[in-house]
């Protein structure tokens, strides 16, 4: 492994149109906090930057909906997000924002450099324009039908039903979200970053030179490379964003995904005049912590930008996490299905470490994971209270009781040497796991130290020995206190508030990682302070209250659902009704369509023939569970190619306003080919 002199760590900039929830915490902020706190304990030269991402269309749409300015929206959420991070112990060196003057300057200089180096292509093309609103309709200002899966609510930049990334002109039946009118095409000029030009370099850099990256990350990159990278527009016709610093570009701003990652650079500049040392030296290790939805931007687009600029180093690793679900359901801001960090901090005062522990134990490192309140309770009660808290408390209480809190002299024997040695070894293991971004394993190893301590006390039974061999008890409790002090070091990346509590009780200053496991971490004769419990048990009522809150959200959502039903369609003639040939069909085979999230390829028996249809249901049904099912289908629909597969027909699905899909099936067991009328 390369020997790096310093670290530059970035965490994905949270988008300032809403507060931060547990999914964000588990995906990005907790793992990066563990990583950086560990590096600091190792005395490494490390800088950790983050800030609010304050541009882009969703913010302007939210502002319009609420009748306020985009600035008011970002000011509100920047404060909520920043305060919540601080209280939760997310220890950025700086939490900035992309509306800062420094950021505008930095992003514009960056853009100018690329412009001067002729790294952009400038193209005039036809884009949708809403004459009523008098503006071009970028990204989410446009909704229409997806050209790939026929989903009707696709956005100008993405179809959420099939996951395809779109450009606005690809949408069928486009409508302006501002006025609902059909937009017209007008010519406009835009700046494009030709990613294809950098493909060869990026491919080698990721797939050959960085084989240590998570397979989930390099796998996604690989599929982008296979599709072939294309030029990507980096400007927009909008009035909210960083204005393009070039002539003849009035009314144009940078695409939010162009300026946002430059925010890492601006934040570093705000933090230190030495910023170039971190961004422009070969011996800096740059690590981007992100969620899986940002992989393309951090592994392909931003590195292409940095490389095109020419003076920056590229990331050494991008340890993206998968998603965290909540109680078996996808976290969703619009459905309010989330545990909001600022709400947790209000409802669970001074219980930051309990949440940090429960989330760290279930980080979605290799696959999506689920947060359950019952697991939270179990983790706190059975691990933090019963193992960690129990060991520390017993050691401290006995030291108070027998020696008035003055650490006794030890006469270290082989047992103690062995135990302290195993603690040092475990510390190395924790460090290795953290350096390899395996935070769940690291947390387990940290708890192992508490387990070693617990076992040592249980085996040596100082409370019995005090009557028969008081000299030995001195050694035992001295050792137990050394282990407690070691724990305060090893737990700090994960449980910083607990580490601080232990230091206060032990009456010691902050120590470094390598000192843990020393026999003289705290010298004999040192006096400890007041003893108090580290953790409290979580009662059933507390968990029930959280589950009730979520249940209420579910109920609110389903009552909203009634309100949001689609309006009735226009009347049709009976003859029109007879046109679709609707039949009961049997699903014979089902498999996922490669490289798609939503599509299943089905082989169905229509009674008349066996045929193939592609259906966008993969997120609602697994292939295994639907084989043999009798469902309804339109069998006389013109054949259509979907992802290269000829699909003849459409399986009917009921679609609720939350986007949940459900098959329509006959009540009784009818044979395939039965006519529906
Ligand atoms: Zn689609």
């Amino acid at each position: 492994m390369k020997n790096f002199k310093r670290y530059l760590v970035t965490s994905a900039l949270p988008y300032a149109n809403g507060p931060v929830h547990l999914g964000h915490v588990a995906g990005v902020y907790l793992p990066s906090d563990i990583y950086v706190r560990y590096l600091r304990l190792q005395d490494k030269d490390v800088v950790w930057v983050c800030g609010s991402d304050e541009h882009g269309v969703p913010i302007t749409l939210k502002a319009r909906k609420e009748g306020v300015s985009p600035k008011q929206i970002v000011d509100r959420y920047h404060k909520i997000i920043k305060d919540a991070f601080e209280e939760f112990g997310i220890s950025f060196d700086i939490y900035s924002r992309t509306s800062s003057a420094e950021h505008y300057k930095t992003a514009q200089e960056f853009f100018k450099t690329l412009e001067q180096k002729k790294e952009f292509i400038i193209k005039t093309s036809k884009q949708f324009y809403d004459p009523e609103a008098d503006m071009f309709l970028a990204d989410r200002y446009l909704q229409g039908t997806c050209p790939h899966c026929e989903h009707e609510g696709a956005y100008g930049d993405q179809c959420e039903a099939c996951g395809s990334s779109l450009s606005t002109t690809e949408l069928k039946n486009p409508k302006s979200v501002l006025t609902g009118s059909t937009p017209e095409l007008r010519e406009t000029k835009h700046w494009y970053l030709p990613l294809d030009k950098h493909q060869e370099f990026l491919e080698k850099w990721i797939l050959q030179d960085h084989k240590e990256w998570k397979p989930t990350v390099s796998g996604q990159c690989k599929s982008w490379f296979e599709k072939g990278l294309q030029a990507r527009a980096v400007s927009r016709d909008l009035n909210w964003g960083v204005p393009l610093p070039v002539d003849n570009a009035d009314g144009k701003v940078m695409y939010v995904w162009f300026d946002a990652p430059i925010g890492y650079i601006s934040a570093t500049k705000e933090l230190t005049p030495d910023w170039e040392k971190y961004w422009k030296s070969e011996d800096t290790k740059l690590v981007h912590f992100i969620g899986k939805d940002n992989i393309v931007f951090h592994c392909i687009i931003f590195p292409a930008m940095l490389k095109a600029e020419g003076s920056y180093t590229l990331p050494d690793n991008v340890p993206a996490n998968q998603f965290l679900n909540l109680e078996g359901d996808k976290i969703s801001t619009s459905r309010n299905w989330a545990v909001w960090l600022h709400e947790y901090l209000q409802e669970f005062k001074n219980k930051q470490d309990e949440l940090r522990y429960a989330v760290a134990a279930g980080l979605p490192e290799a696959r999506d994971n689920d947060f359950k309140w019952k697991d939270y309770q179990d983790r706190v009660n059975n691990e933090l209270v019963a193992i960690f808290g129990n060991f520390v408390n017993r050691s401290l209480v006995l030291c108070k009781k027998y020696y008035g809190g003055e650490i006794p002299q030890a006469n270290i024997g082989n047992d103690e040497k062995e135990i302290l040695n195993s603690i040092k070894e475990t510390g190395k293991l924790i460090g290795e796991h953290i350096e390899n971004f395996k935070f769940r394993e690291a947390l387990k190893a940290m708890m192992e130290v508490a387990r070693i301590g617990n076992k040592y006390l249980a085996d040596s039974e100082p409370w019995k020995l005090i009557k028969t061999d008081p000299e030995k008890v001195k050694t035992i409790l001295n050792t137990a206190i050394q282990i407690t002090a070691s724990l305060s070091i090893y737990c700090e990346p994960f449980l910083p508030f607990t580490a601080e509590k232990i230091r206060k009780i032990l009456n010691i200053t902050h120590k470094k990682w390598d000192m843990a496991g020393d026999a003289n971490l705290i010298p004999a004769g040192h006096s400890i302070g007041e003893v108090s419990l580290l953790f409290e048990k979580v009662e059933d009522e507390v968990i029930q209250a959280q589950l009730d809150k979520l249940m209420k959200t579910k109920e609110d959502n389903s009552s909203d659902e009634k309100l949001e039903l689609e309006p009735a369609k226009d009347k049709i003639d009976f003859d029109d009704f007879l046109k679709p040939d609707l039949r009961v069909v049997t699903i014979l085979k089902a498999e996922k369509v490669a490289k798609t999230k939503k599509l299943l390829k089905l082989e169905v028996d229509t009674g008349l023939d066996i045929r193939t249809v592609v259906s966008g249901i993969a997120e609602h049904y697994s292939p295994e569970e639907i084989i043999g099912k009798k469902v309804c289908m339109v069998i006389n629909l013109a054949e259509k190619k979907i992802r290269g597969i000829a699909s003849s027909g459409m399986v009917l699905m009921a679609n609720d306003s939350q986007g949940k899909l459900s098959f329509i099936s006959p009540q009784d067991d009818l044979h395939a080919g039965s006519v529906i009328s």
Side-chain angles (χ1 to χ4, degrees), residues 146-151 154 159-164 166:
C146 171
H148 303 291
C149 76
E150 303 292 324
H151 171 62
C159 169
E160 289 187 343
C162 71
S164 304
L166 304 172

Side-chain angles (χ1 to χ4, degrees), residues 144-154 159 161-162 172-173 599 637 640-642 650:
T145 305
C146 171
H148 303 291
C149 76
E150 303 292 324
H151 171 62
E152 285 179 4
C159 169
C162 71
K172 298 203 268 184
N173 308 319
L599 299 181
L637 204 60
K640 188 175 160 44
K641 280 230 163 158
I642 300 175
M650 192 166 85

Side-chain angles (χ1 to χ4, degrees), residues 563-577:
L563 297 173
E564 281 180 21
L565 286 181
E566 287 202 13
K569 289 182 183 167
D570 292 342
K571 284 213 167 72
I572 56 166
D573 293 332
F574 190 68
D575 286 347
D576 286 337
F577 167 69

Side-chain angles (χ1 to χ4, degrees), residues 242-258:
V242 182
L244 290 202
V246 290
D247 293 337
N248 304 318
D250 287 350
K252 293 189 197 294
V253 299
M254 290 175 202
Y255 175 41
V256 60
W257 265 110
F258 186 88

